[in-house]
Amino acid sequence: MSASPEAPVIALEGLTVGFGGAPVLDGIDLELRPREIFGVVGETGAGKSVLARAILGQLPPGGRIEAGRILLEGRPIDALDAPQAARYRGGRVALIGTNAKALLDPVARVGDQIGRVLRAHGKPDGRTDRRSVRDRAVALMREVGINDPERRARAYPHELSGGMAQRIVIAMALAGEPEVLLADDATLGLDATVQAQVLERLVERSRERGLSVLLITHDLGIVRHYCDRLAVMRGGRLVEVSEVSRFMAHPADGYSRDLLAAARARPALQPPRKSDDRPPIVDVRDLTMHFQVPGSPQPIRAVDGISFSVAPGETLALVGESGSGKTTAGQCLLRLLDNTDGRIVFDGRDITDMKEAAFRPLRRHMQMVFQEPYVALNPRRRVRDLLAEPLALVEPMTGAERGRRVAELLAAVNLDAAVADIRPGELTAGEQKRVGIARALATKPRFVVFDEPTTALDIRVRAQIIDLIRGLQSSMNLAALFITHDLNSVRSLAHRVAVMHLGKILEQGETRAIFESPREDYTRKLLAAELPIDAETSEPASAGSAA
């Protein structure tokens, strides 16, 4: 898109925001043009969310503008009187946050919540009687791609999927007919297909309405496919502002180049050399897991007769949307859940119905890295104790030997030795992931299940985790099951891919073959939602059905 000659809708001039210490935003100069979709990228702590809330005029407690100003169509927003300020926040400028379930009122129907915004920020000549507001709320829900909006309007947030709840938040933002949308990681943690649907609706409606959008994200794939320009933030400063096409070809700043390099897929892994007389380390046949729901005559078929194998040194990626049964399958493999039917063979031994006493010696060779390490790591214990605990599954050790082993594990996942004395709550998300990996490696396993190890991480941290897993697999000849909906990571980590949907594996094969020549319609839909930064075209992925 060519640069617009029109005056900016929002302009920041030397904006500096602090919370009593060093500035969180430091001298920000930025313009948001009419009908522009402007991406803001950066790692955690860069100041992206504070930037959005400063523009909205709703800084977190303790925050204040120390210098500079924010202009709306050339007028400082601090010059707005009380009615104008009320119309500005949520009306002329609206915020779409992440984690919609936390943003919505859990005890109010979603149609009524949209109605509240319509009454507060609707046009002065708009009707506010109950029927008119309800009809307008339903129309907005239909506009953002919710099927059967009349029925869904009567639902409570907990009755909606994550993607549907996020659409409700977008509908609430559009209800005030804003001129500017601030989308702050609005699709973080959503499945690839749902993310594509939500982004398509957001961008489509913004284009139709002529809105300006500030799209805050840590995903350069989103920026490449949906934005006109972007700004890279680091430590509260803008390090680069550029047209997206120019940035993708030639980023000007060194930090920007590092981010772009980290976001790109690693070279494809070569399949491990196989021996005809060596069986797979894990062989699964017709694995089934049903959950009985109270009050329902039919069980939930979470895993429905799946079969696959993993060779020594090989990574199989199990991909699919949330609810497809991926994590349940991984937990069944490690006997964390007792499967309903099917067989699990590890290293030539059928462990399906093996007694716990017989299985205990094998458990050290089969480990899991959990999706949410902070939930899996005891917050009251220090890292050294968390890493030493699994060593009880190995041979007896003295205190000095345990200390040396803990130091080795920290070094293996590229963490400083001082981390041993820290509790999980004092670590970053990336450091927590590394501790989770180190804990799984403590017993020197032969097979590891990685459950979403790269989801929702910063660009560079995600790349570091990918490189770490690749290096560990090479050095330890690990076999791995990589459970994920992050398709970009699959390209970098998996030798083979199995596509899972509604409890079944639809197809599986070598990674390159699956990505280049998928056989199943569902696989094609899943891959169409991927947002790679090296695509030949910058056209957005198809949204597909928005049911």
Side-chain angles (χ1 to χ4, degrees):
M1 175 178 286
S2 60
S4 170
E6 301 173 78
V9 181
I10 293 285
L12 310 181
E13 296 180 347
L15 182 66
T16 299
V17 172
F19 287 80
V24 176
L25 298 179
D26 191 1
I28 301 292
D29 293 305
L30 192 66
E31 291 184 349
L32 180 62
R33 301 165 181 167
R35 298 172 299 281
E36 177 180 46
I37 298 180
F38 189 102
V40 178
V41 299
E43 298 174 286
T44 301
K48 305 185 301 296
S49 294
V50 174
L51 177 68
R53 280 151 182 78
I55 293 173
L56 192 64
Q58 290 187 329
L59 284 170
R64 66 184 185 90
I65 294 177
E66 297 178 346
R69 57 181 185 166
I70 303 167
L71 306 176
L72 173 67
E73 295 177 342
R75 184 180 181 187
I77 66 170
D78 57 8
L80 301 176
D81 59 29
Q84 290 171 330
R87 172 63 186 150
Y88 173 82
R89 290 190 293 270
R92 301 188 71 181
V93 178
L95 176 67
I96 303 170
T98 190
N99 192 3
K101 294 289 184 75
L103 298 174
L104 295 172
D105 185 342
V107 297
R109 300 180 191 275
V110 294
D112 294 338
Q113 297 189 52
I114 298 173
R116 293 175 189 171
V117 183
L118 287 168
R119 290 187 174 91
H121 294 293
K123 296 299 183 184
D125 57 350
R127 298 179 61 183
T128 57
D129 59 279
R130 182 185 295 270
R131 183 180 182 85
S132 296
V133 169
R134 185 185 65 228
D135 290 347
R136 178 64 180 136
V138 167
L140 280 166
M141 292 174 65
R142 184 177 292 109
E143 187 177 337
V144 297
I146 294 179
N147 287 344
D148 196 6
E150 293 84 0
R151 179 172 65 88
R152 299 292 189 185
R154 299 190 294 273
Y156 292 94
H158 73 272
E159 298 176 292
L160 303 178
S161 67
M164 202 173 296
Q166 197 65 46
R167 291 187 183 96
I168 295 295
V169 172
I170 293 173
M172 292 172 68
L174 294 176
E177 301 189 28
E179 299 153 44
V180 175
L181 280 179
L182 309 172
D184 186 6
D185 262 329
T187 60
L188 184 66
L190 296 180
D191 289 331
T193 51
V194 176
Q195 173 182 264
Q197 292 165 10
V198 170
L199 284 169
E200 284 283 294
R201 291 291 176 177
L202 173 61
V203 171
E204 186 179 295
R205 295 300 169 258
S206 299
R207 300 286 193 201
E208 287 178 357
R209 290 170 172 241
L211 306 183
S212 300
V213 180
L214 197 71
L215 190 59
I216 295 171
T217 181
H218 65 266
D219 188 335
L220 278 171
I222 289 176
V223 171
R224 188 201 189 285
H225 285 260
Y226 292 103
C227 296
D228 305 307
R229 291 191 301 145
L230 87 159
V232 179
M233 289 190 70
R234 184 185 193 189
R237 295 176 176 268
L238 296 184
V239 300
E240 182 167 358
V241 177
S242 174
E243 299 284 340
V244 169
S245 57
R246 184 188 310 129
F247 175 86
M248 293 297 170
H250 302 289
D253 183 81
Y255 175 74
S256 299
R257 289 192 290 273
D258 288 345
L259 282 187
L260 190 58
R264 289 198 160 99
R266 299 318 193 239
L269 291 171
Q270 296 298 316
R273 183 176 299 173
K274 294 183 179 180
S275 173
D276 293 337
D277 60 350
R278 188 176 182 185
I281 189 72
V282 173
D283 192 29
V284 177
R285 289 290 171 260
D286 300 317
L287 183 67
T288 301
M289 184 66 196
H290 294 172
F291 292 99
Q292 193 65 48
V293 179
S296 174
Q298 297 296 326
I300 295 176
R301 304 171 72 89
V303 179
D304 195 6
I306 66 173
S307 300
F308 60 85
S309 62
V310 185
E314 181 181 53
T315 294
L316 172 69
L318 196 58
V319 304
E321 297 171 293
S322 297
S324 61
K326 307 186 302 297
T327 295
T328 300
Q331 292 179 344
C332 286
L333 257 62
L334 299 190
R335 298 277 305 270
L336 300 177
L337 292 174
D338 292 327
N339 54 296
T340 307
D341 203 354
R343 313 308 299 173
I344 304 167
V345 176
F346 176 73
D347 198 20
R349 300 178 65 181
D350 191 330
I351 64 171
T352 314
D353 302 314
M354 188 177 286
K355 299 295 184 183
E356 178 61 27
F359 179 64
R360 191 175 296 118
L362 296 178
R363 187 175 293 280
R364 61 173 290 185
H365 298 296
M366 307 176 71
Q367 293 293 319
M368 187 166 192
V369 177
F370 293 91
Q371 179 175 355
E372 297 175 336
Y374 186 64
V375 175
L377 300 174
N378 188 333
R380 297 182 178 182
R381 305 190 69 183
R382 299 185 186 277
V383 169
R384 70 167 67 256
D385 300 321
L386 294 170
L387 298 185
E389 185 179 30
L391 298 177
L393 295 173
V394 196
E395 64 276 2
M397 292 183 177
T398 65
E401 289 171 337
R402 282 195 300 272
R404 283 194 296 271
R405 181 64 181 143
V406 167
E408 290 172 0
L409 289 168
L410 290 173
V413 296
N414 299 325
L415 285 175
D416 190 270
V419 170
D421 296 317
I422 296 176
R423 292 183 173 86
E426 302 173 73
L427 302 174
T428 66
E431 289 170 337
Q432 290 174 11
K433 292 271 189 182
R434 290 170 185 269
V435 170
I437 293 172
R439 182 176 162 87
L441 297 177
T443 59
K444 300 181 179 179
R446 300 174 62 193
F447 174 69
V448 176
V449 175
F450 293 94
D451 191 3
E452 299 283 8
T454 62
T455 299
L457 294 178
D458 286 332
I459 299 169
R460 291 197 301 176
V461 175
R462 173 179 164 274
Q464 290 164 5
I465 295 296
I466 288 173
D467 290 340
L468 171 63
I469 295 174
R470 284 172 64 117
L472 290 171
Q473 186 180 42
S474 175
S475 63
M476 299 177 64
N477 197 36
L478 274 179
L481 183 68
F482 176 38
I483 296 171
T484 187
H485 63 258
D486 179 1
L487 297 176
N488 286 320
S489 293
V490 171
R491 292 179 182 273
S492 301
L493 274 175
H495 301 96
R496 293 191 300 117
V497 178
V499 180
M500 199 165 179
H501 181 54
L502 298 178
K504 296 180 178 294
I505 289 180
L506 301 184
E507 65 176 301
Q508 55 182 307
E510 290 190 5
T511 301
R512 185 184 297 275
I514 292 292
F515 274 83
E516 294 180 356
S517 304
R519 299 190 310 272
E520 297 290 330
D521 289 341
Y522 175 77
T523 306
R524 286 191 284 272
K525 173 189 171 185
L526 198 66
L527 297 179
E530 186 188 15
L531 299 176
I533 63 170
D534 293 319
E536 294 180 1
T537 173
S538 59
E539 291 299 316
S542 172
S545 170

